[in-house]
Amino acid sequence: MTAPAKLHPRRLLRFGLLAGAAAFLGGCASFSADGGMGSVQSAAYTDIGKDVVKIGDDQAALTAKSRVNQLLRKPLTADAAVQVALLNNRGLQAAFNELGIAEAQMVAASLPPNPSIGISKLSGRFELEIERQIIGSLLALATLPARAEIARDQFGAAQLRTAEAVLRLAADTRRQYYRAAAANTQVVFYQEAKASADAASELFKRLGESGGVNKLDQAREFAFEAELTVQLAQARQLQRQERERLVRQLGIWGDDLKFQLGSLPPLPRLQSGKAIEAEALRKRVDLRIARAELDVLAKSLGLEQATRIINAADLQGTRKYARSRSITEDGVVERNSIRSRTLALDLEIPIYDFGQSKVALAEQTYMRAANKLAEKAVNIRSEAREAYTAYRANYDITRQYQTNVLPLRKIIQDQSLLQYSGMLNDVTDLITDARSRILSNVAAINARRDFWIAHTDFKHALIGGGSGGGSVAVAAAGGGGGGD
């Protein structure tokens, strides 16, 4: 329901001044030279020490491709894999495009509202009437500064979400690199064990033909060699799966698929777990996103409260020109013309709703976001502690395998071989000890893989960018134990 009100032409000047002042205070945002990527690049370099580039033209694409090719020429490390993914992953480029969309929306929201212009013509045999109208929203113009500020804050939140996408891809790529490298190491180990088993099987075959070994011991050795064949096939299948998952993270194809993976790095020095909760609360990008979104909602709530009574206020200016002709009794043609100007203000009358529903909706939306922010702050503290606990536990497990389990397994197998050579034990003990050593080595590989995944989870629990991937049970052979 609207109530038009005619205004004196002098008041038109006042409304014009009011509109101009609102437009001046609101300002007009413009597109940034880097498309908002500056803060994203800074966050990536500060948190993970890597470069990110938005590919928007052929030159940028060629530069990024050259860098990727340079990294892929050498055996790939975890850091190099992350850098390749950040330069080459098209999903990340799509996130950069989303940031560009957010910037365009911010610029559009900071512009004054477009007026509506209408013109109509009514003509007859002796009459002509032309009406021209221009209509503009005073409410949109008056709230332009507040809406422009909200749009800028929303764009800032979009920049944080883009930085979060960068950190998430970096963490996921690093985790997948360690899984693929561990799968490679398992294949190499099984190949060495299979070669030794093949040589032993050939020896047992010859001894069996000469009667030096009975059929039972011969069958046990052949069964052990057959089991290793199956385990090697499983390890190779896992190797291909993990490599393809890494390929998807890197975003490569064609000749780039020939890249070589490096090995799992050795254990680093143990990091301290002091003040990890405070560090996580200070650095976590998802918490900063939640705070930014809460600030936007707070300003939106203030705007809703300010405009709860008036939902629409349109200023309409009309200029009318009418011309007519008439013939008098004497046959004289008389021409008459009339010009008129009208200024009208249309206001929506809140008969049924005085804005309570809008304000209540905004308040509940704000409180929901505030409670979610508080929940996130609590969860981040717990996630940081949990990530450090997993990191420390996997460190101790891996170190135990390296310093105690594997050396002892080697001693056991060496002594078992000596006793078998001296006929102090039979082939059953030798095969059992060999099988146990293989399982311990596979478990040690998995433990080292899980440590580096836990290391990645711990790092990203402090800066954000995706939940911890955790270790996945990917034993290459039946019952690998340890670390899965």
Side-chain angles (χ1 to χ4, degrees):
M1 184 180 297
T2 59
K6 293 186 177 181
L7 301 178
H8 193 277
R10 291 181 179 177
R11 296 185 180 178
L12 180 62
L13 179 60
R14 298 179 183 175
F15 280 103
L17 292 175
L18 177 62
F24 175 78
L25 291 175
C28 297
S30 59
F31 289 96
S32 58
D34 59 1
M37 286 293 298
S39 62
V40 177
Q41 293 169 333
S42 176
Y45 189 80
T46 301
D47 292 332
I48 58 177
K50 295 294 179 288
D51 300 324
V52 293
V53 177
K54 181 178 181 180
I55 301 176
D57 52 42
D58 293 340
Q59 183 59 42
L62 289 174
T63 302
K65 181 61 177 173
S66 176
R67 179 85 181 278
V68 169
N69 291 339
Q70 182 181 3
L71 292 170
L72 293 177
R73 288 193 194 102
K74 303 176 182 178
L76 208 60
T77 64
D79 286 336
V82 170
Q83 185 61 80
V84 170
L86 295 181
L87 293 174
N88 206 54
N89 187 284
R90 293 298 171 179
L92 183 62
Q93 291 297 320
F96 296 160
N97 296 138
E98 291 286 345
L99 181 61
I101 293 172
E103 186 182 34
Q105 292 172 339
M106 176 197 68
V107 173
S110 69
L111 298 176
N114 293 320
S116 300
I117 299 176
I119 183 170
S120 61
K121 176 182 179 182
L122 178 63
S123 61
R125 182 177 180 183
F126 297 105
E127 296 179 350
L128 173 65
E129 183 175 305
I130 299 175
E131 183 176 282
R132 287 162 289 185
Q133 292 182 341
I134 180 168
I135 303 173
S137 174
L138 287 180
L139 183 63
L141 198 58
T143 58
L144 178 60
R147 289 187 293 108
E149 184 179 358
I150 291 173
R152 286 192 294 270
D153 291 344
Q154 289 174 333
F155 178 61
Q159 289 177 303
L160 291 175
R161 284 191 293 270
T162 305
E164 183 183 31
V166 170
L167 298 180
R168 183 185 299 112
L169 177 62
D172 291 343
T173 302
R174 195 176 291 274
R175 295 184 188 106
Q176 189 55 44
Y177 173 87
Y178 293 136
R179 294 187 181 107
N184 276 3
T185 305
Q186 286 185 4
V187 168
V188 172
F189 175 77
Y190 275 116
Q191 286 174 337
E192 294 174 353
K194 179 69 165 52
S196 300
D198 289 344
S201 294
E202 182 64 25
L203 176 61
F204 269 71
K205 181 180 179 181
R206 294 177 181 178
L207 291 175
E209 293 173 351
S210 64
V213 175
N214 60 49
K215 289 186 177 181
L216 179 59
D217 290 343
Q218 191 178 32
R220 283 170 176 163
E221 176 59 31
F222 290 163
F224 177 62
E225 189 270 341
E227 287 177 356
L228 278 179
T229 302
V230 173
Q231 291 166 353
L232 177 58
Q234 292 174 336
R236 284 173 172 164
Q237 179 186 4
L238 178 64
Q239 179 189 38
R240 289 189 291 268
Q241 289 177 345
E242 299 294 8
R243 185 181 178 89
E244 289 300 330
R245 291 167 184 166
L246 179 61
V247 163
R248 292 196 289 272
Q249 297 288 344
L250 301 179
I252 59 177
W253 61 284
D255 292 338
D256 291 339
L257 296 178
K258 299 176 182 179
F259 72 93
Q260 295 181 351
L261 275 180
S263 59
L264 285 171
L267 281 180
R269 293 182 60 184
L270 186 65
Q271 292 183 231
S272 172
K274 295 180 179 179
I276 57 174
E277 294 182 34
E279 185 176 358
L281 290 175
R282 186 177 68 256
K283 291 183 177 181
R284 281 282 290 255
V285 65
D286 52 346
L287 186 63
R288 292 161 59 194
I289 292 172
R291 287 169 178 163
E293 291 176 345
L294 188 64
D295 291 340
V296 170
L297 287 174
K299 293 177 181 178
S300 299
L301 176 59
L303 185 60
E304 292 289 350
Q305 290 176 335
T307 60
R308 66 184 184 277
I309 300 298
I310 300 177
N311 290 325
D314 296 332
L315 184 65
Q316 174 179 323
T318 304
R319 184 175 182 179
K320 184 181 295 185
Y321 171 76
R323 186 181 67 189
S324 62
R325 292 185 301 172
S326 61
I327 302 176
T328 64
E329 296 179 355
D330 299 333
V332 178
V333 178
E334 294 182 349
R335 293 180 173 83
N336 300 313
S337 61
I338 302 174
R339 289 181 171 84
S340 62
R341 296 181 180 88
T342 305
L343 190 65
L345 178 64
D346 291 346
L347 297 176
E348 181 178 306
I349 300 176
I351 295 179
Y352 305 108
D353 186 1
F354 284 88
Q356 297 94 331
S357 59
K358 290 174 57 179
V359 174
L361 177 62
E363 287 178 346
Q364 292 304 314
T365 303
Y366 176 82
M367 291 307 301
R368 179 183 63 183
N371 285 320
K372 286 185 175 294
L373 175 61
E375 179 191 30
K376 183 175 288 294
V378 173
N379 291 345
I380 283 175
R381 291 183 175 93
S382 174
E383 290 169 7
R385 296 192 302 269
E386 180 185 7
Y388 181 76
T389 300
Y391 162 79
R392 180 58 191 265
N394 279 280
Y395 182 91
D396 293 339
I397 291 170
T398 306
R399 189 173 181 82
Q400 182 71 10
Y401 269 107
Q402 291 183 355
T403 58
N404 293 318
V405 177
L406 294 184
L408 289 173
R409 283 296 179 192
K410 187 177 186 304
I411 293 173
I412 291 173
Q413 187 177 22
D414 292 343
Q415 293 299 316
S416 179
L417 183 61
L418 288 175
Q419 291 184 8
Y420 176 76
S421 300
M423 297 182 179
L424 299 177
N425 62 0
D426 58 16
V427 71
T428 303
D429 296 331
L430 183 65
I431 292 175
T432 300
D433 292 335
R435 182 181 289 112
S436 298
R437 188 187 178 201
I438 289 173
L439 294 179
S440 294
N441 275 275
V442 172
I445 294 170
N446 290 339
R448 190 143 57 108
R449 173 206 64 200
D450 292 345
F451 163 76
W452 282 109
I453 293 176
H455 180 274
T456 302
D457 293 343
F458 173 52
K459 179 178 180 180
H460 285 269
L462 301 181
I463 63 177
S467 58
S471 58
V472 181
V474 285
D484 285 317

